[in-house]
Amino acid sequence: MRRRGKLPGAGGAVLALMLVLALAATACASRTPAGQGGQGEGARAVIRIGAAGPYTGDLSKIGLDSLNAIRMAVEEANRAGGVNGSQIEVTVGDDAGDAAQATLVAQKFAADPGVVGVVGPMNSNCVNGALPIYEKAGLVIISQSATNPALTEQGYRVMFRVCPRDDAQGPAAARFISEELKVGKVYMIDDKGTYGQGLADQVEAALKKLGVAVTRGQIAPTDRDFSAILTRVRAEAPDLVYLALPNPAQAASLVIQARSMKMRTKFMGGDGLKEKDQLIKGSQGAAEGFYVTAIGKDVREVPEAQSFVKAFEEKYGAMSIFSGQSYEATSILIAAIRRAGVKDGKVDRGAVRDAVASTRDFRGILGFPVSFDGKGDVVGGSIYVLQVQGPDFKEVKAYPIGGK
């Protein structure tokens, strides 16, 4: 009885195992990377968007807030049906703000046929290092924050960005310094990087056209003791110190040391320093009155962005400066993938690139309709000047790009 009773059970187990294997094979066949194609009519592909940014290291606060915004845009798109019924996944590539690591991330994304577009990299040096790899792979990228003008002047067809360039930000900063603050002498400090030195070059050139005297100095990204350069700054007795730095925590440390040396000079910086936790809270009050330029309007003040802001802050807390731009860049990329379409389980990278290039008047959460010009630069927008007032930044001036 025992033997006879055991045989039907074993047979059932074998049948159950065969059924599980068959179901697993079916599942695998229906979730293959989009770029592999050839899955036959009706096959559903997994579509991957690469997210490249500094998710570890000194810039990780800004990077992780941007990554969360990318994920939010993808989650919303999937709830709305994804792309022709196919779900979208986010593949994360941490470059730590380092150009060498950015090339490794680009190689990883390029080798994955399921990745059909990338949001990021965020830093100009990382974009500059990784662009040749993305170009060779035909993999479109939309940067939310890389502002160096040269990035879209090298003829790469895959490069797009939703942020204005530094040759718009620099002149706007110079106009504010000269026309609003009536400053005649500026000391500029950069970190020798692609972003910092490039932004400083733009601001310096514009200031000199306006008759403002400029002295330049440099620090390293790893510096934490600024006594040497602050001694030189004090000797020059400038009306304003301009910090072309990408790291708001480093800027906060520098301002704290300047105030401890009894320096009461005005401070101003670029878009990378508009980070409330690290610059305002991190400076413990020393950054009060600090001016920054921003490459987009604070999305908390944009009516179309209110549902995004509420959902983000409920889930992740306060946003960083590029959270809105990251959400916008992802939404534009998803819209382009939808226009490119999924055909027999395949999304063509070239079709996605062409769809991104054809983006016109995309109405998202940035407060202006987004289009791209022939170089991949965003059309329109404004440069904003904000000041640290108490626990937050307050807008004090706006300069429409191309306007007066």
Side-chain angles (χ1 to χ4, degrees):
M1 291 293 289
R2 290 177 183 173
R3 186 177 181 84
R4 289 177 62 186
K6 188 176 180 181
L7 286 174
V14 171
L15 289 172
L17 177 61
M18 293 175 64
L19 179 60
V20 169
L21 292 173
L23 289 173
T26 301
C28 289
S30 64
R31 288 174 55 81
T32 52
Q36 289 184 355
Q39 300 306 315
E41 191 70 27
R44 287 187 175 182
V46 173
I47 300 168
R48 298 192 181 97
I49 289 176
Y55 307 132
T56 58
D58 289 344
L59 304 178
S60 60
K61 173 68 171 67
I62 293 173
L64 290 172
D65 282 344
S66 296
L67 178 59
N68 288 333
I70 292 169
R71 284 173 166 153
M72 280 188 61
V74 168
E75 289 165 1
E76 289 175 11
N78 283 336
R79 287 197 294 272
V83 178
N84 296 343
S86 295
Q87 295 288 283
I88 307 166
E89 294 179 353
V90 176
T91 297
V92 178
D94 175 22
D95 59 36
D98 178 75
Q101 291 197 44
T103 63
L104 298 177
V105 170
Q107 290 168 359
K108 166 189 166 184
F109 289 162
D112 183 347
V115 177
V116 298
V118 176
V119 177
M122 299 182 68
N123 300 88
S124 293
N125 62 323
C126 292
V127 173
N128 195 47
L131 255 176
I133 298 168
Y134 288 123
E135 181 76 9
K136 185 177 181 180
L139 187 56
V140 67
I141 67 173
I142 306 178
S143 179
Q144 58 274 67
S145 55
T147 53
N148 189 288
L151 298 176
T152 47
E153 296 289 345
Q154 303 174 69
Y156 292 115
R157 297 182 72 250
V158 300
M159 167 71 192
F160 296 85
R161 51 183 158 193
V162 296
C163 54
R165 301 170 16 154
D166 286 340
D167 51 4
Q169 182 175 193
R175 284 188 59 186
F176 183 79
I177 291 169
S178 175
E179 297 172 2
E180 304 298 325
L181 299 181
K182 312 295 184 186
V183 160
K185 189 175 182 181
V186 172
Y187 197 105
M188 305 184 68
I189 300 173
D190 69 70
D191 68 343
K192 310 176 186 177
T194 303
Y195 165 79
Q197 194 164 342
L199 176 60
D201 290 345
Q202 295 292 334
V203 178
E204 179 186 17
L207 283 172
K208 287 183 174 177
K209 286 183 179 178
L210 295 170
V212 178
V214 177
T215 303
R216 295 279 294 263
Q218 291 186 312
I219 59 175
T222 54
D223 283 351
R224 294 296 181 269
D225 180 0
F226 309 103
S227 55
I229 194 164
L230 287 174
T231 298
R232 295 196 293 274
V233 171
R234 185 161 57 184
E236 291 288 335
D239 304 308
L240 181 142
V241 177
Y242 186 90
L243 302 181
L245 306 174
N247 185 350
Q250 186 182 42
S253 298
L254 189 149
V255 174
I256 289 174
Q257 291 185 34
R259 299 307 187 211
S260 72
M261 296 170 66
K262 309 299 182 187
M263 294 175 62
R264 296 292 173 255
T265 313
K266 296 182 179 68
F267 278 87
M268 186 171 183
D271 57 292
L273 301 186
K274 185 184 171 294
E275 211 295 309
K276 193 161 61 173
D277 285 346
Q278 292 178 297
L279 182 68
I280 300 179
K281 292 183 180 177
S283 71
Q284 304 171 38
E288 180 69 18
F290 195 112
Y291 295 99
V292 297
T293 44
I295 55 177
K297 192 173 184 63
D298 189 337
V299 296
R300 293 176 300 174
E301 300 175 6
V302 178
E304 295 87 347
Q306 293 311 299
S307 60
F308 161 73
V309 173
K310 182 174 185 294
F312 186 99
E313 292 185 343
E314 285 180 352
K315 191 169 185 178
Y316 300 111
M319 295 183 297
S320 294
I321 179 174
F322 302 123
S323 300
Q325 280 85 355
S326 300
Y327 180 89
E328 189 88 331
T330 310
S331 299
I332 290 171
L333 179 56
I334 291 171
I337 295 170
R338 284 171 170 160
R339 293 199 301 277
V342 180
K343 298 175 182 177
D344 294 331
K346 180 179 179 181
V347 175
D348 181 71
R349 287 178 174 176
V352 175
R353 191 223 76 90
D354 292 345
V356 170
S358 68
T359 298
R360 296 291 181 273
D361 296 331
F362 181 90
R363 295 187 177 279
I365 66 166
L366 296 186
F368 68 96
V370 175
S371 301
F372 296 114
D373 66 15
K375 297 178 180 178
D377 288 318
V378 67
V379 177
S382 297
I383 301 297
Y384 298 84
V385 181
L386 303 98
Q387 185 182 32
V388 175
Q389 296 180 12
D392 211 340
F393 295 95
K394 301 295 183 184
E395 181 182 322
V396 295
K397 191 74 178 178
Y399 295 94
I401 296 174
K404 300 293 183 182

